Amino acid sequence: MNARFFVDLPLGPAGQELDLPAGAARHVQVLRAQPGDVLTLFDGRADLAWQAEVLLMGRAQVRVRLLSFQAIERELPRPLHLALVMPANDRMDFLVEKATELGVTSIQPLMSERSVLRLSGERAEKKRAHWQGVAQAAAEQCGRVRVPSIAAVQALSAWLNSLGPAEGSLRRLLLSPQAQGLQAAEGAEGVLSLSGPEGGLSPAEEALAQAAGFAPIGLGPRILRADTAPLALLAWWGLR
């Protein structure tokens, strides 16, 4: 059995016995694993994948023993963080899934003047937790052992004001249909990318982003959807 599962518990050393969390246990039960079967587990805290033997299959309990680990390196050589105004409908689920497969480091969901999807309070936290689960499932599927973090939903202006000066190794980039080329991304050791919703950011918001150190870049002559543009940048970054 080659099934992979994220376990939100510290894993190690070899010989450790543990009960799988409810979500992972449920999936193992659906697969009808039996004692003696071997699973692959990772905890997102290190670039390690653990082989674990199933010891016990109960009605609500799956107990395993860690056997050995393998060092896995499947992250981008240089990090890319996506800050994006959330697209409408269920496109955010798709975006989180595909961004995880492409190696994104983290995702910051935002709301702007032209946002269709607006979230606050308990509803916003439920959505964030749901998207974190989408990222976890995508990491299990694509072979990553790090799960990108999904931050709490914020208003764009408040988030920009919280950033502080543009210092350090992260290059701040603003995806803009009016910009030409990717020259501002060349030579960066890491990227924090900002992109807008359907209809784009307003002129005032673009000005605010540029005042916060975001350099405009373009992705070609066609207008890309709000959920396509950040993925196109991520794919280009990962394949360079």
Side-chain angles (χ1 to χ4, degrees):
M1 179 175 290
N2 294 319
R4 303 178 74 256
F5 299 99
F6 170 75
V7 176
D8 194 14
L9 297 168
L11 297 179
Q16 175 189 7
E17 295 186 9
L18 68 148
D19 291 331
L20 295 183
R26 184 163 55 252
H27 285 112
V28 172
Q29 289 167 333
V30 168
L31 291 174
R32 298 186 177 182
Q34 298 298 318
D37 287 346
V38 176
L39 312 172
T40 299
L41 306 179
F42 62 100
D43 62 12
R45 294 170 173 82
D47 294 323
L48 302 176
W50 283 89
Q51 297 296 294
E53 179 187 7
V54 176
L55 299 177
L56 172 68
M57 292 289 297
R59 292 185 62 183
Q61 178 191 27
V62 177
R63 190 160 188 81
V64 301
R65 177 192 297 119
L66 298 183
L67 301 175
S68 61
F69 66 82
Q70 178 184 5
I72 301 290
E73 182 50 70
R74 294 196 175 121
E75 300 305 298
L76 296 178
R78 292 169 292 177
L80 192 147
H81 305 264
L82 292 181
L84 50 95
V85 179
M86 299 174 291
N89 302 320
D90 293 325
R91 292 183 182 274
M92 189 67 177
D93 284 25
F94 175 86
L95 197 157
V96 170
E97 179 184 78
K98 300 311 174 188
T100 299
E101 291 178 26
L102 291 169
V104 73
T105 307
S106 70
I107 299 176
Q108 171 63 66
L110 298 168
M111 295 180 293
S112 70
E113 292 180 22
R114 296 172 179 169
S115 288
V116 175
L117 179 60
R118 295 185 176 276
L119 301 170
S120 61
E122 183 180 354
R123 183 166 175 248
E125 174 52 28
K126 285 183 176 179
K127 277 292 190 181
R128 187 211 63 78
H130 168 73
W131 292 326
Q132 190 66 66
V134 171
Q136 173 186 317
E140 290 174 345
Q141 181 276 326
C142 74
R144 290 183 69 174
V145 291
R146 298 276 185 177
V147 180
S149 61
I150 314 298
V153 177
Q154 293 193 55
L156 172 61
S157 58
W159 177 75
L160 287 171
N161 289 332
S162 73
L163 289 180
E167 299 174 346
S169 60
L170 286 183
R171 187 84 52 84
R172 296 181 183 180
L173 302 177
L174 170 65
L175 297 184
S176 173
Q178 288 74 43
Q180 299 295 319
L182 291 158
Q183 292 84 355
E186 296 295 343
E189 291 302 314
V191 164
L192 172 59
S193 164
L194 172 62
S195 57
E198 299 83 352
L201 299 178
S202 70
E205 288 171 331
E206 287 215 7
L208 187 63
Q210 291 184 54
F214 285 83
I217 60 170
L219 294 174
R222 294 168 299 281
I223 303 299
L224 302 182
R225 287 183 178 272
D227 53 320
T228 304
L231 296 178
L233 176 65
L234 184 52
W236 172 82
W237 181 257
L239 294 173
R240 291 175 66 229

